[in-house]
Amino acid sequence: MDLQSRKIKFVQEFLKLQSEEVISHLEKILSKETKTLTNEEFEPLTIEEFNDRINQSMDDSKNGRLIKASDLKAKIDKWV
């Protein structure tokens, strides 16, 4: 099945959905994937921008503006 046919079939199935939860879930996935595609079109940082980010990160660390990896993962798991 070609991409166009798959998209049409998907839209037809989507229009049959009655669950707000499922629609919300699909919206989150679409939003996440759209942002990912957009982020792939980024420009590399200059050395100055890179160093500024490092300095900001070091300042955040010194001032306790951190989040544990496990807390971040739990937060991310709620996105989808």
Side-chain angles (χ1 to χ4, degrees):
M1 187 181 302
D2 68 329
L3 182 59
Q4 190 65 24
S5 298
R6 290 173 56 202
K7 291 192 308 188
I8 290 170
K9 182 175 170 76
F10 180 85
V11 170
Q12 289 171 336
E13 292 301 316
F14 179 82
L15 291 173
K16 293 177 189 176
L17 289 173
Q18 297 299 315
S19 169
E20 181 133 357
E21 183 179 341
V22 172
I23 291 172
S24 197
H25 184 71
L26 290 170
E27 286 173 330
K28 287 177 186 177
I29 292 170
L30 180 60
S31 176
K32 179 182 172 186
E33 291 301 318
T34 302
K35 286 177 188 174
T36 300
L37 292 175
T38 302
N39 289 340
E40 290 174 358
E41 301 168 6
F42 69 92
E43 292 289 322
L45 296 175
T46 64
I47 294 297
E48 183 178 274
E49 292 169 326
F50 181 70
N51 287 329
D52 287 345
R53 286 196 182 187
I54 291 172
N55 291 336
Q56 181 64 50
S57 296
M58 296 298 288
D59 186 60
D60 288 342
S61 177
K62 287 178 189 173
N63 292 298
R65 294 186 298 261
L66 302 173
I67 185 170
K68 292 180 186 177
S70 58
D71 293 341
L72 179 60
K73 183 177 180 334
K75 203 175 211 180
I76 290 170
D77 287 342
K78 294 178 183 175
W79 292 352
V80 178

